[in-house]
């Protein structure tokens, strides 16, 4: 469930874009005004505002935000203002071109989107970057990671609920055999994880646990330092429960000495209209502290204000 | 009498031709009305189709099966003509999974359709078969070319005009190195070859093939040796009209097998509304005879008429 709060009646996109323009005028920037508008508009409304702004002032709202906002606040407001598919395309492009083995953003995007959503991202990627997502991922990754990531971002999984239990059993066994042989990047492992539908995979993971006693991720933990195993575990967890996976991303981002703003920004921006509410609930139950409190403690000023607004907190 | 028999025999075809001559058959029915002796004489004359067990006349089972195929060519082409292109492509790909079609059909569809057409076919596949085409290809096709096929079918290639020429040159060189270092049997599994062929845009690939020829003195197909998959992939991407024209020609060859003949219907139907003019030109240039004339010479009846209409004047 989303945390984004939109008032019952909102000004027209024209009025909103004029207010935003006022926020940019003169000395400094009125970040509170920006937040009061953008943090309370859904994707369709933000798109309408951007179009009105372009028509009225001859430039993209994002350009003005780029000039007028700064630091972590800027990064979050830019990411937030984009349409979900453009946002994902941008995040994917960054992740692909600056890829390293511990980066799991591509896995997040590939697994925590529906098949149709992922296709829309791939289309947006064409428009924005004049290349396909899969060609960039293929060109910037190597070896086992390429074998996993290219099919993952190219996946167009069947979205029906049908599950073949016979297949779930045989593929659970297949996974178990390969994992026992430490053949983690075996073609069959990759095939199952990157092509089967999500309901089929859930059934397979259940079979795995029933037949072999351990959850598949426990068996994939043989080497906690191995980045490829971590990537496989991420795939499994994102397919089973994106909210739990993302709660951990948020928890770790707030835990570090300082804060991993990139992860926090990305998670809040991409989930505020999806399931940030559930992520908050998971956070609360795991940490006995509401997420807002942790965010208040670890972040500051406008970045903090925007985060809290997107988290659904009442403005003071 | 003998002439009429010959005419009717030919109408029932199966003699390397395509389709059956429905008009002649019906004309004979009229002509031989109330003349069972005529039919008797015909049966005795037509030993490929009719035989006897003792004194009982019977049809040869093999011939009946062949007739079934020939009679259905018209039905098949009409149904396919009406079908949505996405459903057609989805069904053809599905036939490959269940071994009734050669895997090269997947290469044909994945490489000659536009990115949006391929997406449509994939959606249709899911709606028809409750699986994604990627999962079925990965599961049912276990040969060494399966990675190439899965990659081709998963692609959603960029279709804009931007091409990075420097990268294309670079990748032409990379392909050459990969070809030199991999053993010829292993080419199909080479990661760089598969990566480039399955992810780059078609314009980019055409640029690569052009640079390859300039840099290494010969077209890449020559260096790909006897590797059918890779050859077909390159051809479908670089010169689809040539690929289709050759597929049509294979159907008309002496001793063409069932699959090659089925390809005639598939190619004509799938390209009629797309690039048939270019294919006709290419065919004429390559084989020295007009496609229309080849069809007129070698096919019969309603099937022939349908093909000629699809191919256009």
């Amino acid at each position: 469930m989303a945390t984004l709060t939109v008032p019952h009646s909102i000004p027209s996109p024209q009025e909103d874009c004029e207010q935003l323009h006022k926020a940019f005028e003169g000395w400094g920037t009125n970040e509170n005004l920006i937040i009061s508008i953008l943090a309370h508009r859904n994707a369709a409304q933000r798109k309408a505002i951007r179009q009105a702004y372009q028509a009225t002032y001859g430039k993209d709202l994002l350009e003005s935000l780029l000039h007028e906002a700064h630091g972590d606040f800027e990064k979050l407001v830019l990411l937030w203002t984009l349409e979900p598919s453009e946002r994902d395309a941008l995040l994917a492009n960054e992740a692909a071109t600056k890829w390293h083995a511990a980066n799991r953003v591509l896995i997040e995007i590939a697994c925590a989107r529906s098949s149709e959503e992922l296709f829309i991202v791939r289309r947006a990627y064409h428009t924005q970057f004049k290349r396909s997502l899969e060609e960039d991922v293929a060109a910037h990754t190597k070896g086992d990671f390429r074998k996993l990531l290219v099919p993952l971002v190219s996946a167009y999984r069947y979205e029906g609920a049908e599950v073949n239990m016979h297949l779930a059993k045989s593929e659970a066994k297949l996974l178990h055999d390969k994992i026992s042989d430490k053949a983690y990047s075996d073609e069959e492992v990759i095939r199952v994880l990157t092509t089967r539908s999500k309901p089929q995979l859930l059934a397979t993971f259940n079979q795995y646990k029933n037949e072999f006693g351990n959850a598949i991720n426990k068996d994939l933990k043989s080497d906690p330092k191995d980045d490829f195993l971590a990537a496989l575990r991420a795939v499994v967890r994102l397919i089973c429960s994106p909210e739990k996976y993302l709660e951990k991303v948020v928890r770790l981002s707030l835990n570090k000495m300082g804060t991993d703003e990139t992860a926090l920004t990305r998670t809040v921006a991409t989930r505020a209209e999806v399931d940030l509410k559930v992520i908050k609930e998971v956070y609360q139950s795991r940490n006995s502290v509401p997420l807002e409190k942790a965010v208040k403690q670890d972040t500051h000023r406008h970045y903090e204000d925007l985060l809290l607004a997107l988290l659904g907190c009442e403005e003071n | 009498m003998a002439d009429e028999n010959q005419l009717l025999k030919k109408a029932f075809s199966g003699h390397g031709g395509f389709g059956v001559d429905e008009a002649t058959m019906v004309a004979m029915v009229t002509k031989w009305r109330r003349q069972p002796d005529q039919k008797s004489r015909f049966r005795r004359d037509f030993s490929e189709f009719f035989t006897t067990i003792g004194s009982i006349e019977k049809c040869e089972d093999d011939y009946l099966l062949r007739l079934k195929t020939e009679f259905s060519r018209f039905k098949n082409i009409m149904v396919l003509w009406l079908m949505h292109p996405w459903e057609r492509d989805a069904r053809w790909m599905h036939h490959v999974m269940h071994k009734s079609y050669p895997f090269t059909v997947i290469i044909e569809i994945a490489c000659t359709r536009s990115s949006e057409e391929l997406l449509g076919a994939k959606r249709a596949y899911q709606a028809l078969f409750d699986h994604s085409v990627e999962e079925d290809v990965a599961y049912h096709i276990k040969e060494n070319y399966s990675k190439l096929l899965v990659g081709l079918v998963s692609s959603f290639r960029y279709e804009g005009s931007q091409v990075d020429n420097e990268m294309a040159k670079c990748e032409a060189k990379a392909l050459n190195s990969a070809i030199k270092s991999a053993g010829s049997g292993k080419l199909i599994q080479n990661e760089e070859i598969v990566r480039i062929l399955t992810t780059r845009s078609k314009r980019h690939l055409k640029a690569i093939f052009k640079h390859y020829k300039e840099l290494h003195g010969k077209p890449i197909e020559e260096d790909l040796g006897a590797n059918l998959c890779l050859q077909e992939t390159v051809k479908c991407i670089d010169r689809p009209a040539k690929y289709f024209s050759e597929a049509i020609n294979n159907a008309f060859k002496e001793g063409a097998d069932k699959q090659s003949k089925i390809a005639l219907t598939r190619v004509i139907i799938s390209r009629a509304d797309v690039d048939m003019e270019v294919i006709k030109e290419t065919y004429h240039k390559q084989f020295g005879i007009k496609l229309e004339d080849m069809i007129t010479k070698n096919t019969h009846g309603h099937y022939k008429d349908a093909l000629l209409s699809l191919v256009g004047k």
Side-chain angles (χ1 to χ4, degrees):
Chain A
M1 281 201 52
T3 49
L4 174 69
T5 54
V6 178
H8 282 300
S9 83
I10 55 167
S12 69
Q14 189 61 38
E15 287 169 306
D16 272 342
C17 90
E18 282 166 15
Q19 285 296 302
L20 284 169
H21 188 76
K22 279 209 185 96
F24 301 137
E25 270 176 345
W27 277 103
T29 308
N30 188 341
E31 285 91 349
N32 288 332
L33 182 52
I34 297 175
I35 295 175
S36 73
I37 302 172
L38 288 176
H40 296 282
R41 302 289 181 270
N42 64 32
Q45 291 160 345
R46 298 194 306 274
K47 184 175 181 182
I49 295 172
R50 263 177 89 185
Q51 285 168 340
Y53 194 93
Q54 175 81 43
T56 314
Y57 303 107
K59 58 179 175 170
D60 194 336
L61 170 61
L62 292 176
E63 222 189 288
S64 298
L65 285 170
L66 197 63
H67 276 137
E68 302 288 335
H70 307 285
D72 294 314
F73 171 70
E74 173 196 330
K75 295 201 187 95
L76 178 55
V77 83
L78 280 174
L79 211 52
W80 170 248
T81 307
L82 285 169
E83 270 187 85
S85 59
E86 294 173 309
R87 186 192 298 146
D88 281 346
L90 182 63
L91 289 168
N93 177 261
E94 263 172 25
T97 52
K98 299 191 184 122
W99 185 82
H100 58 88
N103 182 317
R104 289 187 269 284
V105 175
L106 288 169
I107 301 179
E108 265 180 44
I109 295 175
C111 299
R113 308 297 181 259
S114 73
S115 291
E116 287 300 328
E117 284 169 347
L118 185 55
F119 231 102
I120 297 175
V121 174
R122 288 167 82 180
R123 229 187 238 113
Y125 199 97
H126 282 185
T127 311
Q128 273 177 269
F129 300 105
K130 313 295 184 222
R131 282 186 306 275
S132 66
L133 170 56
E134 57 269 29
E135 84 184 273
D136 277 354
V137 172
H140 289 93
T141 57
K142 283 206 283 271
D144 290 347
F145 284 97
R146 185 198 284 178
K147 271 199 236 176
L148 174 67
L149 291 171
V150 174
L152 214 55
V153 304
S154 320
Y156 188 48
R157 300 179 201 261
Y158 173 63
E159 296 219 283
E162 285 85 354
V163 168
N164 179 330
M165 284 315 293
H166 179 76
L167 205 57
K169 282 200 180 102
S170 71
E171 292 188 337
K173 177 162 198 313
L174 171 67
L175 290 172
H176 186 255
D177 289 344
K178 299 291 179 184
I179 292 173
S180 307
D181 288 339
K182 296 201 191 298
Y184 306 116
S185 62
D186 184 276
E187 276 177 31
E188 289 288 272
V189 174
I190 309 249
R191 170 183 73 75
V192 171
L193 290 179
T194 63
T195 65
R196 290 303 183 197
S197 75
K198 289 177 183 175
Q200 182 69 33
L201 282 171
L202 289 173
T204 307
F205 300 149
N206 280 337
Q207 279 302 309
Y208 188 106
K209 182 145 192 225
N210 291 341
E211 266 301 302
F212 305 108
N214 281 342
I216 186 172
N217 265 3
K218 187 151 181 217
D219 289 347
L220 284 171
K221 226 170 184 171
S222 55
D223 179 359
K225 291 219 175 79
D226 184 323
D227 283 321
F228 188 72
L229 286 179
L232 289 180
R233 293 198 302 274
V235 171
V236 173
R237 286 166 59 219
L238 279 160
I239 288 178
C240 293
S241 169
E243 305 88 5
K244 283 205 189 131
Y245 179 89
L246 292 169
E247 181 276 332
K248 187 169 183 187
V249 169
V250 164
R251 177 170 21 108
L252 292 178
S253 80
L254 288 167
N255 248 2
K256 294 185 177 171
M257 293 295 290
T259 308
D260 180 355
E261 290 83 7
T262 320
L264 184 59
T265 296
R266 178 182 74 244
T267 310
V268 169
T270 56
R271 307 314 276 186
E273 282 175 285
V274 183
D275 54 5
L276 194 52
K277 190 153 191 220
V278 183
I279 297 172
K280 277 203 313 186
E281 284 160 15
V282 178
Y283 189 93
Q284 168 105 39
S285 75
R286 270 214 67 145
N287 304 285
S288 307
V289 129
L291 178 54
E292 291 90 325
K293 187 158 180 213
V295 164
K296 274 188 197 151
Q297 271 183 321
D298 276 24
T299 63
H300 315 283
R301 299 191 67 223
H302 307 298
Y303 179 55
E304 174 189 327
D305 293 339
L306 181 50
L307 284 169
L308 291 174
L310 292 174
L311 280 165
C313 288
E314 290 301 320
E315 308 261 274
N316 7 1
Chain B
M1 300 299 120
D3 281 335
E4 280 179 351
N5 278 4
Q6 275 306 104
L7 222 58
L8 191 56
K9 262 197 219 175
K10 190 151 189 272
F12 272 88
S13 191
H15 297 303
F18 289 75
V20 293
D21 185 350
E22 295 90 347
T24 301
M25 290 173 181
V26 173
M28 285 303 161
V29 171
T30 312
K31 246 194 165 179
W32 291 355
R33 198 158 173 263
R34 299 217 197 102
Q35 296 179 61
D37 292 342
Q38 286 281 36
K39 279 191 283 175
S40 232
R41 270 194 285 272
F42 179 70
R43 281 195 294 269
R44 268 175 277 140
D45 198 22
F46 199 173
S47 54
E48 288 109 327
F49 195 173
F50 301 100
T51 183
T52 53
I53 300 184
S55 59
I56 303 295
E57 296 178 45
K58 86 178 262 288
C59 293
E60 286 280 20
D61 293 319
D62 278 347
Y63 203 88
L64 276 176
L65 276 172
R66 271 189 284 156
L67 262 194
K68 189 175 172 199
T69 305
E70 294 308 331
F71 269 90
S72 338
R73 287 199 202 274
F74 179 62
K75 176 218 43 153
N76 289 339
I77 205 171
M78 289 321 301
V79 172
L80 286 169
W81 174 71
L82 274 181
M83 240 188 230
H84 195 290
W86 296 347
E87 180 180 359
R88 281 202 296 255
D89 283 347
R91 289 192 187 274
W92 284 330
M93 289 196 284
H94 196 244
H95 287 323
V96 177
M97 300 322 154
H98 300 280
K99 309 297 182 214
S100 53
Y101 272 27
F103 69 87
T104 42
V105 171
I106 294 196
I107 299 181
E108 181 182 309
I109 294 176
C111 295
T112 62
R113 307 318 188 230
S114 74
S115 293
E116 291 295 335
E117 285 168 349
L118 183 57
L119 172 59
K122 294 203 278 200
R123 284 210 179 103
Y125 193 99
Q126 291 193 9
L128 287 163
F129 306 112
D130 293 343
H131 283 284
S132 67
V133 73
E134 296 90 331
E135 84 185 280
D136 277 359
V137 171
Y139 183 62
H140 291 284
I141 298 180
K142 290 285 193 248
E143 287 79 355
N144 62 356
Y145 47 77
S146 91
K147 267 201 234 144
L148 175 73
L149 256 51
V150 174
L152 289 176
V153 105
S154 312
S155 66
F156 185 52
R157 302 183 199 259
Y158 169 64
E159 297 209 298
S161 51
Q162 206 142 310
V163 172
D164 181 343
N165 244 310
E166 283 313 305
M167 180 58 75
K169 270 197 200 133
C170 204
E171 291 185 336
K173 292 194 187 127
L175 284 175
N176 186 253
S177 309
I179 290 173
K180 284 210 175 88
S181 66
S184 75
K186 297 261 179 71
L187 279 183
I188 190 74
Q189 289 174 306
N190 181 283
E191 280 182 20
E192 277 301 275
I193 296 180
V194 172
R195 169 182 76 81
I196 293 171
L197 290 178
T198 61
T199 63
R200 290 301 186 199
S201 76
K202 289 181 183 171
R203 279 203 174 84
H204 185 100
L205 284 167
K206 288 189 184 175
I208 291 181
F209 300 146
K210 181 165 147 277
H211 288 300
Y212 193 98
K213 191 165 180 192
E214 285 164 11
L215 288 167
H216 302 110
K218 45 185 156 139
I220 189 171
E221 291 95 307
E222 263 183 57
D223 283 342
L224 290 173
N227 201 305
L228 178 67
C229 296
L230 294 177
Q231 295 277 3
E232 303 272 86
T233 303
V234 171
K235 212 184 281 176
C236 284
I237 291 172
D238 200 27
R239 285 163 301 162
K242 182 159 191 265
Y243 169 87
F244 287 123
S245 136
E246 285 171 4
I248 292 171
N249 191 59
N250 287 340
F252 288 131
K253 275 192 183 144
E254 183 80 37
D257 63 13
K258 182 178 170 194
Q259 285 304 323
S260 305
K261 287 184 168 187
I262 289 177
L264 179 65
T265 300
R266 185 178 68 248
V267 170
I268 306 277
I269 278 281
S270 60
R271 306 317 283 180
D273 294 335
V274 184
D275 52 1
M276 187 50 69
E277 295 304 315
V278 185
I279 293 174
K280 283 199 297 191
E281 265 173 54
T282 310
Y283 189 88
H284 195 176
K285 218 166 158 193
Q286 224 178 328
F287 301 107
I289 173 175
K290 278 195 184 168
L291 178 55
E292 300 89 299
D293 294 340
M294 201 62 175
I295 292 173
T296 308
K297 236 175 63 165
N298 290 293
T299 64
H300 309 283
H302 297 318
Y303 181 60
K304 172 174 81 184
D305 297 334
L307 286 175
L308 287 173
S309 300
L310 286 163
V311 151
K313 286 287 173 281

